[in-house]
Amino acid sequence: MTPPGTRPTPVILVLGAEYRQAMVDVLTMRYSAEYEIVAPASMEEAIEVLTELKTGSRPVALAACEFFAGGEKATHLLAKFQKFMPTARRLVYVPVERFRGSVAQLRESLAEGRLDLYLMLPQGARDEEFHTAISETLSDWAQSVNYSEIDGTRIIADGPSPDLSRIRDFLDRMGLPNTVHAPDSPAGVAALAAAGPDAVMPLLQASNSDEIISNPSNADLGAVLYGRPTDIGEDAVCDLVVVGAGPAGLGAAVYAASEGLDTLVIDQGPIGGQAGTSSMIRNYLGFPRGISGMRLAQRARSQAVRFGARFLAGHQVTGLRIGEGPDGSHVVELGDDTVRGRTVLIATGVEYRRLGIDALEDLVGRGVNYGAAASTSREVKHKDVYVVGGGNSAGQAAVHLSRFARSVTILVRREGLAATMSSYLIREIEGNPRITVRPRTVVTDGGGEGRLEWLTLHDVDAGTDERVEAAGLYLLIGAAPMCSWLPNDVARDDLGFVLAGADTPWQSWQGGRPPEPFATTVPGIFVAGDIRCGSMKRVASASGEGAGVVPLVHAHLAPDAG
């Protein structure tokens, strides 16, 4: 019996025959302190165990099935059990003698999303590569279902709101454990008493702190970790100021700081940019099991900090004054505050276009979300949700939501997904019974009492409308460049994307030669990532562009530059 007020111990389920006990022994040695290892001996017992687990609300973190267990394909067994444990990660373990013959079959299952990973049975007691894969998979599960025993940052809120969604999304993406408490809960009553009569919810109480922050802004949230612009110092001049902490900005920060450049990274939101909202990126070099955008951003941030880079999270850049520092440096404006840099990298990326339907805009944070908003996925459990968009971000959001929602429908104006989405994601979506794609369909209306309850879908070809029940709408459409803060000196195309290298107007060329790649029309101002005109709009290319800017920064800072 689980004591009141505590979470039930998550389960690792082991299915198999010949090698089942060997797998149980391996997992018990490492994971039995935090997870209960359950290993039914037959299919009948497995069904009974799963029914009991579901009835008792005990979460299954990992389901491990032996290759060809019980004479059936392991992936087929896992597919049968999926309705009992939709959020569980699925593993096939393979004895060494069967490994070669299993690769082709398991590769297909991985590509279609029926399997999260497959591993060879450990060959010794300390097969750390095996345990690294297991630990990362369990960590990914815990993060996606918000399963944490840590009493981290407390949020006091009286119901869903745009501010609550913003705060939770910020904290989740920064990797800060957080829990929401009602105003009449013990934590809520104590926080409200400490905050005083003028407090405006949501309230925030950081872990190990008595300070209560009333409806914190992104700047307040970022200051908890990284401080404020005034901490940089009035007279400080950075070698490189990076505006935007997505893959391009983080790539630049790691390489610039590692080469001794005084580097400052600024972002109006949490570290990671738009890519940080991706639930799972499977085509990034060096991560065969995939990695969430949040974890990739956290690792890059830690790497940059290790080399000496500084960060300002939650602070919006509002302007750039070219060469107006006392020493000719560039002045980056953050509202009433400023920081200076000898060079500046524009890496602000793009933002999703607004849908422009007033009734739905009023429900943002109450079922309507711009971006993946992974923190809301648990709120749509066993409900119907809709994802608007045909890019990789939309596909990743749909796959993630399918672990929680009863159904996920992707709406695209085009004929299908092939023109805008990676093949691996399309195959995974096609193999997922909970996901449906509706081409040539747009959202025209929606509403609900206090939160989203319904949508009107318009069939572009037939000209007909359909009203559907909907608990969630996730909007991932288009790519509007985030560059309203840039002066006209920095040339942009008709859509607002920043021009660089040979794409710049010929009038800005020196000696008949264009600027270097990633160099803009202003000396010392560079651009990388999705905001650059002609970029690939992929995580790997953006991080590579950020790293590619660093040699240009060195050249500009060299004593004989210019």
Side-chain angles (χ1 to χ4, degrees):
M1 177 72 68
T2 302
T6 63
R7 291 189 172 186
T9 301
V11 170
I12 296 178
L13 181 69
V14 182
L15 305 170
E18 185 178 356
Y19 293 92
R20 177 173 57 89
Q21 192 57 48
M23 188 65 167
V24 169
D25 293 343
V26 167
L27 295 175
T28 299
M29 283 191 295
R30 286 288 183 102
Y31 307 102
S32 59
E34 288 83 24
Y35 298 85
E36 181 181 354
I37 314 300
V38 177
S42 65
M43 277 290 294
E44 292 75 14
E45 185 182 344
I47 295 295
E48 290 178 7
V49 167
L50 284 166
T51 303
E52 179 189 347
L53 291 173
K54 185 178 181 181
T55 304
S57 301
R58 296 172 62 199
V60 179
L62 176 67
C65 186
E66 180 181 331
F67 184 70
F68 287 129
E72 260 190 289
K73 280 188 177 181
T75 50
H76 289 176
L77 285 177
L78 291 174
K80 288 180 180 179
F81 295 156
Q82 188 65 11
K83 66 178 181 178
F84 292 97
M85 46 183 194
T87 64
R89 299 311 187 249
R90 294 157 291 171
L91 158 71
V92 169
Y93 60 94
V94 187
V96 62
E97 63 269 22
R98 297 177 188 166
F99 188 78
R100 182 175 179 182
S102 70
V103 172
Q105 297 177 52
L106 294 178
R107 184 190 299 124
E108 188 73 13
S109 297
L110 282 167
E112 294 180 358
R114 299 197 302 268
L115 186 62
D116 293 298
L117 73 163
Y118 71 96
L119 297 171
M120 190 184 300
L121 268 173
Q123 302 303 294
R126 287 171 292 279
D127 188 337
E128 299 305 331
E129 184 63 27
F130 172 89
H131 288 295
T132 295
I134 296 292
S135 296
E136 288 181 348
T137 301
L138 292 172
S139 177
D140 175 61
W141 169 81
Q143 184 273 325
S144 69
V145 300
N146 196 29
Y147 195 91
S148 174
E149 301 292 347
I150 300 172
D151 185 17
T153 301
R154 294 178 177 180
I155 306 169
I156 314 302
D158 53 0
S161 70
D163 283 321
L164 176 60
S165 296
R166 171 183 58 81
I167 292 167
R168 294 202 69 189
D169 184 61
F170 193 105
L171 295 175
D172 283 348
R173 288 171 58 189
M174 292 297 288
L176 293 176
N178 60 89
T179 52
V180 178
H181 300 265
D184 57 356
S185 67
V189 171
L192 284 167
D198 298 328
V200 177
M201 286 190 280
L203 303 179
L204 184 99
Q205 183 178 20
S207 57
N208 302 320
S209 173
D210 294 329
E211 181 184 7
I212 307 294
I213 306 175
S214 179
N215 193 17
S217 65
N218 281 356
D220 294 328
L221 297 170
V224 172
L225 282 179
Y226 296 115
R228 300 184 182 276
T230 50
D231 298 330
I232 302 300
E234 277 186 35
D235 299 325
V237 182
C238 303
D239 293 323
L240 173 64
V241 174
V242 180
V243 184
L250 290 169
V254 168
Y255 281 91
S258 70
E259 295 181 12
L261 295 175
D262 184 359
T263 305
L264 173 66
V265 185
I266 307 169
D267 199 289
Q268 67 177 11
I271 307 303
Q274 197 178 93
T277 67
S278 296
S279 57
M280 185 59 63
I281 303 168
R282 297 197 183 276
N283 61 348
Y284 193 75
L285 183 66
F287 293 91
R289 293 178 291 274
I291 185 171
S292 71
M294 181 198 76
R295 295 195 184 281
L296 184 63
Q298 286 179 352
R299 293 181 182 187
R301 177 188 69 193
S302 298
Q303 197 174 8
V305 169
R306 178 181 181 182
F307 291 126
R310 291 175 289 176
F311 284 83
L312 289 174
H315 294 275
Q316 184 170 6
V317 172
T318 55
L320 175 64
R321 304 203 304 265
I322 304 296
E324 291 192 16
D327 52 358
S329 59
H330 304 300
V331 179
V332 179
E333 299 177 340
L334 300 97
D336 296 332
D337 299 310
T338 60
V339 294
R340 287 187 286 156
R342 296 181 178 89
T343 62
V344 174
L345 170 62
I346 304 164
T348 43
V350 297
E351 60 185 346
Y352 296 117
R353 290 205 307 266
R354 310 300 291 190
L355 193 61
I357 299 173
D358 291 342
L360 292 174
E361 293 294 339
D362 291 340
L363 293 174
V364 170
R366 298 182 177 93
V368 177
N369 305 277
Y370 281 95
S375 60
T376 68
S377 56
R378 297 170 293 276
E379 300 169 7
V380 298
K381 194 173 182 179
H382 308 314
K383 299 176 182 178
D384 301 318
V385 302
Y386 290 79
V387 175
V388 180
N392 277 13
S393 295
Q396 290 158 353
V399 170
H400 174 71
L401 288 165
S402 71
R403 295 184 182 273
F404 301 86
R406 176 172 56 198
S407 72
V408 181
T409 304
I410 301 176
L411 307 175
V412 287
R413 183 182 286 273
R414 294 173 181 262
E415 297 291 344
L417 302 175
T420 53
M421 189 178 292
S422 293
S423 174
Y424 82 93
L425 262 176
I426 294 176
R427 292 185 65 184
E428 190 167 354
I429 287 168
E430 290 174 343
N432 191 319
R434 294 192 178 194
I435 302 178
T436 303
V437 180
R438 287 186 58 164
R440 306 288 291 158
T441 305
V442 297
V443 177
T444 57
D445 198 5
E449 295 297 325
R451 64 167 294 113
L452 180 69
E453 296 175 348
W454 59 270
L455 294 170
T456 298
L457 308 183
H458 178 73
D459 186 307
V460 174
D461 294 328
T464 56
D465 292 331
E466 177 187 3
R467 179 163 163 157
V468 297
E469 293 184 1
L473 177 65
Y474 296 82
L475 300 160
L476 301 97
I477 48 177
M482 299 173 64
C483 57
S484 59
W485 55 279
L486 288 172
N488 292 332
D489 307 67
V490 179
R492 284 158 279 175
D493 69 7
D494 294 338
L495 298 175
F497 291 92
V498 178
L499 300 170
D503 291 328
T504 56
W506 64 267
Q507 293 92 337
S508 65
W509 296 10
Q510 298 293 322
R513 299 187 54 154
E516 295 289 335
F518 316 128
T520 70
T521 48
V522 177
I525 306 294
F526 305 97
V527 63
D530 289 0
I531 196 170
R532 182 182 65 83
C533 175
S535 67
M536 277 185 63
K537 309 295 187 290
R538 289 290 184 267
V539 172
S541 61
S543 60
E545 288 185 15
V549 165
V550 176
L552 305 183
V553 172
H554 279 298
H556 182 80
L557 297 178
D560 57 349

